[in-house]
Amino acid sequence: MTPATPFGIYVHVPFCASRCGYCDFNTYTASELDGSGASPDGWLEAVRRELALAHRTVGDRPVDTVFVGGGTPSLIGARRLGAVLDTVRDEFGLAPGAEVTTESNPESTSPEFFAGLVDAGFTRVSLGMQSAAPHVLRILDRRHTPGRAVEAAQEARRAGIEHVNLDLIYATPGETTDDLRASVEAVLTAGVDHVSAYSLIVEDGTALARRVKRGELPAPDDDVAAERYELIDDLLSAAGLGWYEVSNWASSPGAECRHNLGYWLDGDWWGAGPGAHSHLAGTRWWNVKHPARYASMLADGLSPELDREELTPDEQHTERVMLRLRLASGLPLDLLDDAARAEAARAADQGLLDPAVLRQGRAVLTRQGRLLADRVVQDLLLASEVEAARA
């Protein structure tokens, strides 16, 4: 760890009004928590205790970014979100120009909610839109109406939120190319300066996975997903939003999500909340998942940590290659050995890496390479492993 290493605070809000069919996050509806004693106010007090523990552990270190995720942070209201940020200020202090983000569900926001966020000091909001097509939202079990996400984004901007993101999910069963085009065009009418777009992944154990297994819905098609990604990139690029990470586009460098860049560029962060993950100087740990147990442990003066791991140099190298290659800034070739550099040259010959940038000492994915990013990473790492085995 060096003073230049960015330091972020992630806060996990585990509450949701309902469970989306594709979601495998650590979230709970009111009925799932009934009788457990868990509540938003109990969660808030526990988070305050954990942030005090974080300060005792980390020491005086100003926070560069704060990200409140979930779950549905907007469900607990601007007052509680402001109280979380006040605790971060009290324990650590915010670095000058700190980025402060909260995720929000369009249906649990309002002009008053966004005004409360501005008053509390939030600078960024990320809204889950997923799609503008009603039938796609139904398949995903999303409850918001198609136009509400755009309306909420506009409300956030009018309230004075500096940066606003909309999330899209593409390649959902039943989604057409026209559906996706309409969704992206709706995003562009919202005037946001950041868009995230993720190909639908059917996670084991979810309601969506069960529907696919029963044959009620077809599994997402990789070729369709690739075509949809290219359409998204074309439309966003034409509107002035450039990719800076495989699944993220921004209107300018200042609109990029600095908190997520901290994850991708070896930053440090403390994750507070049930199931939250933390990373400091090559050590990673994670909290117990259930909100009631999380709050109970902290009330008893205990750390809510469930387990931890020390990353080996090889594991750290693997993560650097995997994460930095996803960025438009690319992977510095001096992080690779000779065998991996030779593999990078082959990838450039195959049209997966930009040859001009490669000659300048960085591996940057072409658009075709972005579609095959996992394969490029695997090939680079495998080349090093094969060379090491021969030595």
Side-chain angles (χ1 to χ4, degrees):
M1 183 182 73
T2 69
T5 304
F7 179 51
I9 297 287
Y10 173 78
V11 180
H12 186 71
V13 179
F15 308 110
C16 278
S18 62
R19 183 173 297 281
C20 298
Y22 62 91
C23 179
D24 71 338
F25 294 164
N26 186 44
T27 63
Y28 304 83
T29 63
S31 62
E32 290 169 338
L33 292 174
D34 189 37
S36 71
S39 70
D41 286 332
W43 165 88
L44 176 58
E45 184 58 33
V47 165
R48 284 173 165 151
R49 290 187 171 119
E50 187 180 1
L51 289 172
L53 169 65
H55 185 203
R56 293 195 298 271
T57 304
V58 174
D60 292 333
R61 189 175 180 185
V63 174
D64 299 290
T65 63
V66 179
F67 195 107
V68 185
T72 309
S74 50
L75 200 61
I76 66 171
R79 180 187 62 80
R80 292 190 185 95
L81 292 173
V84 169
L85 187 53
D86 285 342
T87 304
V88 174
R89 287 193 189 96
D90 292 344
E91 294 295 342
F92 290 99
L94 294 176
E99 174 192 88
V100 184
T101 303
T102 184
E103 294 180 338
S104 297
N105 185 305
E107 289 296 333
S108 52
T109 63
S110 66
E112 294 75 22
F113 170 79
F114 293 122
L117 292 184
V118 172
D119 289 343
F122 283 81
T123 66
R124 190 172 181 277
V125 168
S126 180
L127 292 156
M129 176 176 170
Q130 280 63 58
S131 176
H135 63 280
V136 174
L137 292 175
R138 284 195 296 272
I139 289 171
L140 295 172
D141 291 325
R142 296 289 295 189
R143 292 193 172 184
H144 65 266
T145 54
R148 176 57 198 154
V150 169
E151 186 178 62
Q154 293 169 335
E155 290 171 357
R157 294 306 292 263
R158 286 195 294 268
I161 298 289
E162 186 176 3
H163 300 294
V164 179
N165 170 67
L166 281 172
D167 276 348
L168 289 173
I169 291 178
Y170 60 93
T172 299
E175 177 194 65
T176 67
T177 300
D178 286 342
D179 290 333
L180 180 60
R181 183 184 297 276
S183 295
V184 177
E185 289 173 348
V187 166
L188 295 175
T189 67
V192 299
D193 60 359
H194 191 287
V195 177
S196 300
Y198 304 100
S199 179
L200 178 67
I201 297 175
V202 179
E203 301 284 1
D204 290 342
T206 62
L208 182 62
R210 291 190 288 274
R211 294 184 69 187
V212 170
K213 186 175 182 179
R214 291 195 297 264
E216 296 174 16
L217 293 171
D221 183 282
D222 289 343
D223 291 335
V224 170
E227 292 172 3
R228 300 280 159 78
Y229 179 89
E230 291 178 324
L231 175 61
I232 291 169
D233 190 49
D234 284 341
L235 295 172
L236 294 180
S237 297
L241 283 85
W243 80 282
Y244 71 98
E245 193 274 342
V246 169
S247 299
N248 290 273
W249 291 257
S251 63
S252 69
E256 296 172 1
C257 181
R258 287 163 47 201
H259 187 83
N260 286 342
L261 283 168
Y263 294 153
W264 299 322
L265 292 170
D266 294 331
D268 287 335
W269 67 91
W270 189 290
H277 285 233
S278 302
H279 172 267
L280 287 174
T283 299
R284 182 180 292 134
W285 69 95
W286 49 96
N287 289 343
V288 296
K289 285 190 170 184
H290 199 279
R293 177 159 170 73
Y294 167 78
S296 175
M297 292 179 74
L298 283 157
D300 290 341
L302 302 173
S303 165
E305 180 183 319
L306 176 64
D307 205 354
R308 67 171 47 211
E309 61 181 351
E310 300 287 337
L311 298 176
T312 67
D314 284 346
E315 288 170 336
Q316 292 184 55
H317 172 72
T318 295
E319 293 198 358
R320 285 191 185 104
V321 172
M322 178 178 66
L323 296 175
R324 294 192 182 199
L325 195 64
R326 291 182 63 86
L327 297 172
S329 56
L331 172 69
L333 292 185
D334 59 14
L335 293 180
L336 302 177
D337 59 21
D338 289 343
R341 288 194 195 102
E343 181 57 41
R346 281 190 286 274
D349 290 340
Q350 295 166 359
L352 303 178
L353 293 176
D354 186 319
V357 180
L358 194 68
R359 288 192 291 272
Q360 297 169 9
R362 302 183 77 82
V364 173
L365 295 167
T366 61
R367 186 159 80 170
Q368 181 64 22
R370 280 184 266 160
L371 296 172
L372 299 169
D374 290 345
R375 193 193 100 184
V376 177
V377 168
Q378 291 169 1
D379 288 347
L380 293 178
L381 294 173
L382 182 60
S384 296
E385 291 173 10
V386 170
E387 185 65 24
R390 289 174 178 165

